[in-house]
Structure formats: structure tokens, C-alpha cells
């Protein structure tokens, strides 16, 4: 049997055919085109599924399920995308709409949870009892797995690490608070810190990478220039990792998980990021060495969302 995992992102809808064991057999993608009627996006998803079936020379009857990872709040009981701000979706009946094309069960999950499920089953946290995954992208996404299952909290809103305070009284956040991790630990934040450092230092290698325009500095340029020893980039990267380490340290204090995974765009900096964060986690608590979780990079990259959606049950 074939499982289908659909990862609905801000720019792309990725669709994968996956085995029961979590192996990706084939994948297809279409532009999200956010703002279109949802029916048009569902049409595109169904079209990708048909494409994959044709490529695998399989019939629709071979599908055991379709899982959909969505960027927002979902209600899997009712088969609804309750609120996906970036897609402009409120109470969209995803299960019913996809059910018009395929007769198999359709399951829904939040995209960050789907990615964590994949890492927990076949990725960097495979075999671990507990895992917190932090995704460093446009914003800070996160998910908590306890005993292999997503911890949703008693009202379904647990694991919103992006809106935990890392700088009391800090930058204003869209959520209404200030000093949120989203504003200090996302790729967006790293790029902003790089831009600021360019203005302060003036002679940064980041400026050359950005064609002389500070506004064109990206998170990737900051990590590359920092790795090469650029002073301005090192200052920005140092601030960034300090805030990220504060977030990770809070997570450890709260949950003592077996592993903390860092994923998303900034995690492509690899060991350079990981080592910097690890070095900033206090090794002692009340004068005693404390047991720390493994802190590691997510392993499945862009495929995690698709694979995790396909492994929903
Ligand atoms: Zn916030």
C-alpha cells in the first residue's frame, strides 16, 4: 500500500508517496498560490497525487491514506483546517474536499507536528522516547513528542516555542507580546540582525555578498560570513545563538527531553550553529553538572513535512 503525505507550505505544496516504513518513493510539487480559492489548491493536490500514482504505475485503490500537514490550527476530528493565516483559510473542509477525489482516509495535522513525527519515526530522533523539535525558518516552529506522540496540551495549543519570551521587554511580536523567540531566533531575525550589524560595522563581508545593499542581507549570508570570521557577522550570529541557546535551555528545564532537534533554514549552517548553541547551554545547575539532552540537527530537511504527514495515524 502507498501512503500520501502533503506538506502545504507558504510557497510550495509538496506531495510525496511514502511506504508504511516512512521511505519516500516519489514526490511532486506545485506553487501554493496562497490567496486562491481553497478548491483550486485542493485540485492541485489531487493532481499531484494522480501524477505520483502514474509514475509508480499504481491505482487509486493502492492508497491507504492521505495525510495533510498545514501551516496553522487543524481539527482532525472534524477534518477542518480551522485557521491557516498564511493561506487565508478559515474552517476549510480539507477532508471532504480531498474525499471527492480519493476514497481513502484523509488525516490532518499541523505542519510542525508532522515534521517532528517524521524525525521521531525515521529521522534524527528515531527510537527516542521524547523529542522537542525547533524549526528555524521564516518564524520559529516547534513540536513536542512525548512517548512518540505529539503533545498538544489540554487545549491543543502546546509547543508554541516561537512565542516564549527570550528577551523580556524586547521587540514587539505579531502575537501581541514582546521579546518572543520568533523575533530573535527565526531566519528572519538572523537576517535582520545581520543587516543591523552591517550598518554598525560598515566594512562587513555581508555587504559585499549582498551587492552593497544592507537590505539584501539574508540569514545564509550572515552564517557564511560569520563562518569566514567576519566581525559584523560574528556579532550578529553571536547574538542569535545566545537567544537560541536561552530558548533551548528553557525547553530543557521544562521538559528534560531525550533530544532537542534544530531544523529549518538556519539549521543548514550545520555544526557551526550546533556547536555554538551547545557551548552556550549552562552545563551546571545549582553547582552540580546536570544531565543534558542530545542536541542535534534534524535529518530529513524539506522532506520531513511530507513524510510525517504520510505517517499520521
Ligand atoms: Zn510572539
Amino acid at each position: 500500500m502507498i501512503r500520501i503525505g502533503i506538506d502545504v507550505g507558504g510557497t510550495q505544496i509538496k506531495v510525496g508517496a511514502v511506504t508504511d516504513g516512512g521511505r519516500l518513493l516519489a514526490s511532486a510539487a506545485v506553487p501554493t498560490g496562497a490567496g486562491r480559492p481553497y478548491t483550486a489548491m485542493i485540485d492541485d493536490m489531487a493532481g499531484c497525487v494522480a501524477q505520483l500514482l502514474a509514475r509508480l504505475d499504481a491505482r487509486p485503490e493502492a492508497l491507504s491514506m492521505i495525510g495533510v500537514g498545514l501551516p496553522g490550527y487543524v481539527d482532525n476530528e472534524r477534518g477542518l483546517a480551522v485557521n491557516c493565516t498564511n493561506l487565508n483559510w478559515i474552517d476549510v473542509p480539507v477532508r471532504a474536499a480531498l474525499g471527492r477525489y480519493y476514497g481513502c482516509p484523509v488525516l490532518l495535522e499541523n505542519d510542525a507536528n508532522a515534521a517532528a513525527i517524521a524525525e521521531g519515526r525515521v529521522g534524527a530522533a528515531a527510537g527516542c522516547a521524547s523529542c522537542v523539535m525547533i524549526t528555524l525558518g521564516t518564524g520559529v516552529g516547534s513540536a513536542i513528542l512525548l512517548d512518540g506522540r505529539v503533545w498538544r496540551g489540554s487545549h491543543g495549543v502546546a509547543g508554541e516555542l516561537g512565542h516564549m519570551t527570550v528577551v523580556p521587554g524586547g521587540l514587539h511580536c505579531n502575537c501581541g507580546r514582546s521579546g518572543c523567540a520568533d523575533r530573535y531566533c527565526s531566519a528572519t531575525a538572523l537576517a535582520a540582525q545581520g543587516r543591523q550589524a552591517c550598518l554598525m560595522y560598515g566594512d562587513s563581508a555581508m555587504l559585499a555578498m549582498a551587492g552593497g545593499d544592507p537590505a539584501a542581507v539574508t540569514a545564509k549570508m550572515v552564517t557564511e560570513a560569520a563562518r569566514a570570521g567576519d566581525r559584523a557577522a560574528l556579532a550578529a550570529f553571536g547574538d542569535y545563538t545566545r537567544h537560541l541557546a536561552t530558548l533551548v535551555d528553557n525547553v530543557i528545564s521544562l521538559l528534560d527531553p531525550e533530544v532537542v532537534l534544530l531544523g529549518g533554514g538556519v539549521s543548514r549552517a550545520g555544526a557551526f550553529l550546533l556547536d555554538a548553541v551547545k557551548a552556550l547551554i549552562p552545563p551546571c545547575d545549582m553547582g552540580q553538572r546536570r544531565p543534558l539532552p542530545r542536541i542535534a540537527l534534524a535529518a530529513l530537511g524539506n522532506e520531513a513535512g511530507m513524510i510525517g504527514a504520510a505517517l499520521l495515524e
Side-chain angles (χ1 to χ4, degrees):
M1 297 294 274
I2 296 169
R3 293 169 167 266
I4 295 290
I6 303 180
D7 181 19
V8 183
T11 53
Q12 265 196 329
I13 296 172
K14 295 194 283 279
V15 184
V18 174
T19 65
D20 289 337
R23 191 164 59 85
L24 186 64
L25 297 168
S27 67
V30 284
T32 305
R36 292 187 292 161
Y38 78 84
T39 47
M41 288 191 233
I42 300 274
D43 276 351
D44 282 352
M45 294 178 204
C48 284
V49 175
Q51 221 184 87
L52 293 179
L53 286 173
R55 265 156 63 190
L56 295 169
D57 199 16
R59 298 169 53 81
E61 292 74 30
L63 295 181
S64 61
M65 61 82 73
I66 297 177
V68 189
L70 290 154
Y73 293 111
V74 304
D75 182 342
N76 183 48
E77 296 289 307
R78 295 191 294 154
L80 296 180
V82 177
N83 187 354
C84 299
T85 316
N86 296 339
L87 302 177
N88 226 348
W89 282 15
I90 305 272
D91 288 334
V92 167
V94 178
R95 177 175 298 145
L98 268 172
R100 284 182 29 241
Y101 295 88
Y102 296 101
C104 61
V106 175
L107 302 178
L108 310 183
E109 182 55 277
N110 163 270
D111 56 355
N113 287 346
I117 287 168
E119 294 289 348
R121 283 278 297 277
V122 294
C128 294
S130 55
C131 161
V132 175
M133 180 160 162
I134 306 176
T135 306
L136 311 166
T138 310
V140 172
S142 54
I144 301 169
L145 297 184
L146 297 178
D147 296 325
R149 307 195 75 84
V150 173
W151 171 255
R152 299 173 196 284
S154 51
H155 306 93
V157 293
E160 287 291 337
L161 298 193
H163 301 288
M164 278 174 73
T165 306
V166 292
V167 179
L171 296 170
H172 178 74
C173 178
N174 285 338
C175 73
R177 300 179 187 84
S178 58
C180 290
D182 221 69
R183 297 301 317 273
Y184 291 88
C185 305
S186 59
T188 312
L190 179 57
Q193 285 155 21
R195 279 170 213 144
Q196 253 181 14
C198 277
L199 298 176
M200 280 170 61
Y201 288 77
D203 60 345
S204 170
M206 291 184 284
L207 265 180
M209 289 174 178
D213 177 11
V217 169
T218 63
K220 187 164 176 250
M221 290 174 194
V222 183
T223 52
E224 279 180 8
R227 203 196 295 267
D230 178 72
R231 267 190 330 142
L234 279 170
F237 189 72
D239 281 347
Y240 176 85
T241 48
R242 206 159 37 78
H243 293 127
L244 181 55
T246 300
L247 181 66
V248 171
D249 191 25
N250 286 338
V251 166
I252 296 170
S253 296
L254 181 68
L255 291 171
D256 180 26
E258 199 172 329
V259 57
V260 176
L261 292 184
L262 302 180
V266 181
S267 74
R268 287 191 207 119
F272 184 61
L273 173 77
L274 199 58
D275 294 347
V277 171
K278 281 184 186 171
L280 289 163
I281 303 289
C284 295
D285 216 351
M286 289 178 271
Q288 301 284 327
R289 271 203 97 74
R290 59 175 183 164
L292 288 172
R294 183 162 63 89
I295 303 172
L297 299 168
L300 301 171
N302 284 336
E303 294 175 353
M306 275 186 296
I307 295 173
L311 293 176
L312 295 175
E313 48 194 27

